[in-house]
Amino acid sequence: MDAKLAAAAVGVNAIGNSGTTNRLLLGILAGSSFASQLIGDASLSKRPMKRVSQPLAKFGAEIALSPAGTLPATVIGQKLHGAEIQLEVASAQVKSAAIFADLEAGSPSTIIEKLPTRNHTEIMLRQFGADITTEADNLTIHVQPGQELLGQEVEVPGDMSSAAFWLTAGRLRKSWPLMS
């Protein structure tokens, strides 16, 4: 990518250490009409991002990473096209990035997973009106772009796994009061 294109990038998203935010934004921004730059903290900036950028490139996404294949990432938003892709890694986040990019594509797409992963994105987007189907093998996902997504009221339950450390520490240390 030349210096002029890099200088034209609009906005900088400081995403801290959130790998999920980074991966999903790569898919969302790939089909936008503007350029963006994603910057993470020192830890996130060491993590490999080609596992996300390479599948998105099959839809026409233009994502420039550091020479090491890590953040910062410059996403040149543009019109995407449909494709059939096979994911090399079993990752719900990579699959979700591809689904978000597919929603902005000009034609239908098929995503084939290596192994079945969590399907929260598909369930949520279907609720919002997206035309996403999963075959009986739970590996093949079809995305039909162009559907209008409608906001919904969603209740998100707390994630007990994020509290597990503190609950365990509290049980081990009897002097720490635990709220029920």
Side-chain angles (χ1 to χ4, degrees), residues 55-127:
L56 295 178
K58 293 177 182 175
F59 301 114
E62 187 175 337
I63 301 170
L65 301 171
S66 77
T70 60
L71 294 181
T74 300
V75 182
I76 308 302
Q78 57 195 332
K79 186 66 178 163
L80 303 177
H81 56 78
E84 180 174 305
I85 65 167
Q86 291 196 342
L87 298 178
E88 299 294 321
V89 296
S91 167
Q93 294 176 352
V94 173
K95 173 181 67 173
S96 294
I99 290 171
F100 281 121
D102 289 349
L103 292 174
E104 294 298 320
S107 56
S109 297
T110 300
I111 301 166
I112 303 168
E113 294 190 270
K114 187 175 186 167
L115 296 168
T117 62
R118 292 170 293 169
N119 63 352
H120 302 110
T121 300
E122 298 95 289
I123 291 170
M124 184 74 76
L125 286 172
R126 278 188 209 114
Q127 181 177 337

